Amino acid sequence: MWDDAFPSFLIGLREGLEAGLIVSILVATLVRAGARSRLAQVWTGVLAAIALALSFGAVLTFTAASLSATAQEAFGGTLSVIAVAFVTAMVFWMRRSAHRLSGEIKEKVTGALGMGAGVLVATSFLAVGREGLETALFLWTTAQAAGESAGPLTGAAIGLVLAAALCWGLYRRVLRINLTKFFTATGAVLIVIAAGVLGYGLRDLQEGGVLPGQTSYAFDLSGSIDAGAWYSTLVQGVFNLTPAMTWLQVLGYGGYLAVVMTLFVRGVRDATPERVATEAAGVTGATGVTGVTGASGVSGAPESSPSRRRPVWVVPVAVVTVPAVIAGAAVVFGSPKPAAAETVAVSEKDCGKGFSAPKPGRQTFQMHNTGDKTSEVYLVDPATNAVYGEVEGLAPGTTRALVATVAGGTYAWRCVPSSGAAVTSKAVRVSGGGSSRAVVPVSEQDLSGPLGQYKSYVDEGLARLVGQTRTLAADIKGGQLGQARGDWLTAHLTYASLGAAYGTFEDFDQKINGRADGLPGGVHDKDFAGFHRVEYGLWHGESAVSLTAPAQQLATDVAGLRKAFPHQDFDPSDLPLRAHEILENTLQFELTGDTDEGSGTNLATADANLAGTRELLAVLKPLLTTRAPRLLPTVDADIARLQALLDAARHGDAWTPVTRLDATARARVNGATGQLLEDLSPVPDLLEIRKSA
């Protein structure tokens, strides 16, 4: 979070200090001139500016939220580019104007005092409003880049509070700041940050289909850089540099940085010592507010009193209410209206009755089962059977909503009753642009090939495991406990590599690889058996005599599993689930050290689990490639990253215990595993068996 907070902290500090300087000079001038009664006008303008900035932020947030995913990318990319333009202009303006800032503001204040309350309100409103709008825009874009709002908002809040404290200090004559040096240093940093925002914005425009080159990468270091490491998140959060960047991003980032930084530095070098001296004098004048000619005279003049005084609360309420009302109207009328939910009848005889061509966009359909059988309902492309949305188990007489994004294409309803043939409605054609995500359904027949391949892999593994556990039992019976430790690890890793088959091992898994957790006697419980029972004894000094029976029982149970496996049921729908579940167990049990009974080989087991996952993905590859062509390259890069981290913990036949990894290494392994799990999470949905096929 804190790496995402830094850019927002800096922008909050800069914009807050710029606006705060103006307000502090306004206030100090009025106080010095004896016009305290007019301070309310200043604060009214400030309040109006804050309300405008907050309303602008609300419009950005809620208008973008109503857009499609592609439109949000394009919208965010456009605003990122606009934000870069604002920040760039502000950086150069402040570099030029810092030395004369206080003098210019004092002249405006003096003129405002003579022109009436409206101008004084407008002066403070415009002074703060510009910074507020820039801050809201920059915060929105940085939150989009970070993928979360807590960090950017926290950073901005801290920056604004610090800016307010500095301005209060200026007002009280306790601080002296060289504005030229301050805005030069922060300006250079903000140029670098703005270059990152530009790169992020260009990427959004590519993903939104506005700019080309979405898949033309200048570099892709995701296989060699740990995206979960602290330094990676810091660099990405502050500079928006990612392990993989397109050519357009790189050219935009480098070009902006080269041109803008060169012009900025050249302008700084042109500054003269006299300008710096003038700036120092200006700050002193600002804090003391000396030399405001005529202000006292203007203030001292009696102010005209209207015959009717409006209540003091009217203007503050108005300046807050008006922007909020305008923002609300912008959100309501600027957002696409969801179409009224269309009711579609579902039955085993007449599917999709009442269905007409919907408008493009996100649509809600009310599916009402008018038949007497429970049905599965799918919104499909009848030409490819691709599924856009579904409702499972719609009972007779009930109504449930189905939400789907509709774009240009052909659509039909398919109703699959609990018994009987599937019924497909008449197809309708929708005109319009955009795209919507559809999943080509998978049938049991589609998974039968991969399932057969994987069962062969498991059967071969079990055949090896039978021999390995017999060798282990023989080692222990012969008193060769040192040899038994090595053979134990070999056998255990073979079993761990068969992870996708856990669901079919039934009661054998508890006998072979059960843990002591939950047993009344823990590791000394009579029902504690299998690999971990033998592990505990081998690494806790038990004798060969006491371990002979557990080792022999393990070999017997493995042989029983090997004999039973060909006759056990393996639900085809379980196969895609295992792609995710194997590594979920790894993260929960192995990488926490929860299953370690003394051998310190949790990372070796994690390595075997990764091998099992790789084997499973190999048999599922033909189905995944046609449904999500970008998924497997991403997953392959994740696997390579995690494999490299695990290899670093291996030293010949020995492994570093997971509990002895330093904090950084352990965080990297956990982060790489978590990233792989996240990228594997779509697999079960992509390969879900649907009756619409």
Side-chain angles (χ1 to χ4, degrees), residues 93-102 179-180 183 279:
W93 183 85
M94 289 305 299
R95 190 205 66 197
R96 292 193 306 269
S97 305
H99 67 285
R100 62 176 185 271
L101 183 62
S102 59
L179 290 179
T180 298
F183 286 117
E279 178 199 69

Side-chain angles (χ1 to χ4, degrees), residues 20 27 46 82 85 102 112 120 123 126 131 146 206 228 308-309 350 427 490 503 508 510 583 589 595 641 661 663 679:
V27 172
V46 171
I82 294 173
S102 59
L120 190 56
T123 301
L126 293 174
E131 279 67 39
Q206 288 179 313
R308 273 188 186 171
R309 283 189 171 274
D350 192 3
T490 299
F508 282 104
Q510 181 62 33
L583 290 176
F589 299 118
T595 56
R641 184 185 306 117
L661 289 176
D679 291 334

Side-chain angles (χ1 to χ4, degrees), residues 503-534:
T504 64
F505 288 171
E506 299 176 349
D507 293 339
F508 282 104
D509 184 53
Q510 181 62 33
K511 297 176 181 178
I512 294 172
N513 205 42
R515 297 181 296 123
D517 294 357
L519 296 177
V523 294
H524 303 294
D525 196 275
K526 62 181 180 59
D527 292 327
F528 184 35
F531 278 110
H532 292 300
R533 168 65 184 93
V534 176

Side-chain angles (χ1 to χ4, degrees), residues 463-489:
R464 293 195 307 275
L465 186 61
V466 169
Q468 291 166 351
T469 53
R470 287 174 179 171
T471 299
L472 172 62
D475 290 340
I476 293 177
K477 185 176 182 180
Q480 299 177 0
L481 298 186
Q483 180 68 31
R485 294 188 183 94
D487 289 336
W488 175 89
L489 181 58

Side-chain angles (χ1 to χ4, degrees), residues 617-631:
L617 291 173
V619 302
L620 294 175
K621 183 176 180 178
L623 296 176
L624 291 172
T625 300
T626 57
R627 289 165 174 79
R630 298 180 184 177
L631 176 64

Side-chain angles (χ1 to χ4, degrees), residues 195-562:
V197 173
L198 178 61
Y200 174 82
L202 293 175
R203 179 60 177 167
D204 270 356
L205 290 173
Q206 288 179 313
E207 293 180 348
V210 178
L211 295 177
Q214 181 178 352
T215 59
S216 299
Y217 287 97
F219 58 85
D220 186 355
L221 306 177
S222 55
S224 55
I225 292 179
D226 179 19
W230 65 269
Y231 53 83
S232 296
T233 53
L234 180 64
V235 170
Q236 184 169 341
V238 175
F239 302 110
N240 277 305
L241 290 173
T242 58
M245 295 181 70
T246 64
W247 280 108
L248 182 61
Q249 283 182 280
V250 171
L251 292 175
Y253 187 100
Y256 174 89
L257 197 59
V259 173
V260 177
M261 187 65 80
T262 299
L263 294 175
F264 182 80
V265 172
R266 183 176 298 171
V268 171
R269 289 176 177 174
D270 291 341
T272 63
E274 288 78 8
R275 287 177 62 186
V276 176
T278 302
E279 178 199 69
V283 174
T284 304
T287 55
V289 198
T290 58
V292 183
T293 308
S296 179
V298 174
S299 297
E303 299 181 19
S304 59
S305 301
S307 56
R308 273 188 186 171
R309 283 189 171 274
R310 70 173 68 90
V312 295
W313 54 267
V314 170
V315 174
V317 169
V319 299
V320 173
T321 303
V322 171
V325 171
I326 294 175
V331 171
V332 171
F333 295 105
S335 304
K337 305 291 186 303
E342 180 179 352
T343 299
V344 179
V346 175
S347 75
E348 59 273 21
K349 295 181 180 179
D350 192 3
C351 181
K353 185 178 181 180
F355 180 51
S356 58
K359 294 181 179 180
R362 194 165 179 80
Q363 304 290 340
T364 299
F365 303 95
Q366 295 296 335
M367 312 308 300
H368 179 64
N369 191 341
T370 59
D372 56 7
K373 296 179 180 178
T374 298
S375 293
E376 314 287 322
V377 187
Y378 303 91
L379 180 62
V380 302
D381 178 345
T384 64
N385 288 326
V387 176
Y388 294 97
E390 63 186 285
V391 171
E392 298 180 348
L394 183 64
T398 61
T399 302
R400 285 164 56 189
L402 185 152
V403 181
T405 299
V406 176
T410 305
Y411 296 83
W413 292 106
R414 181 162 296 161
C415 305
V416 185
S418 55
S419 61
V423 180
T424 304
S425 73
K426 180 181 178 181
V428 299
R429 180 75 186 176
V430 176
S431 300
S435 61
S436 55
R437 179 177 179 271
V439 177
V440 178
V442 172
S443 66
E444 289 192 18
Q445 183 63 33
D446 293 328
L447 283 172
S448 62
L451 178 57
Q453 295 176 50
Y454 198 77
K455 289 180 73 173
S456 296
Y457 164 77
V458 172
D459 192 60
E460 292 173 3
L462 289 175
R464 293 195 307 275
L465 186 61
V466 169
Q468 291 166 351
T469 53
R470 287 174 179 171
T471 299
L472 172 62
D475 290 340
I476 293 177
K477 185 176 182 180
Q480 299 177 0
L481 298 186
Q483 180 68 31
R485 294 188 183 94
D487 289 336
W488 175 89
L489 181 58
T490 299
H492 188 246
L493 296 184
T494 297
Y495 186 81
S497 68
L498 310 179
Y502 286 170
T504 64
F505 288 171
E506 299 176 349
D507 293 339
F508 282 104
D509 184 53
Q510 181 62 33
K511 297 176 181 178
I512 294 172
N513 205 42
R515 297 181 296 123
D517 294 357
L519 296 177
V523 294
H524 303 294
D525 196 275
K526 62 181 180 59
D527 292 327
F528 184 35
F531 278 110
H532 292 300
R533 168 65 184 93
V534 176
E535 176 190 10
Y536 180 84
L538 287 174
W539 274 271
H540 284 83
E542 287 192 26
S543 66
V545 174
S546 64
L547 285 173
T548 297
Q552 184 58 53
Q553 185 61 49
L554 172 62
T556 300
D557 291 335
V558 168
L561 173 59
R562 169 72 177 85

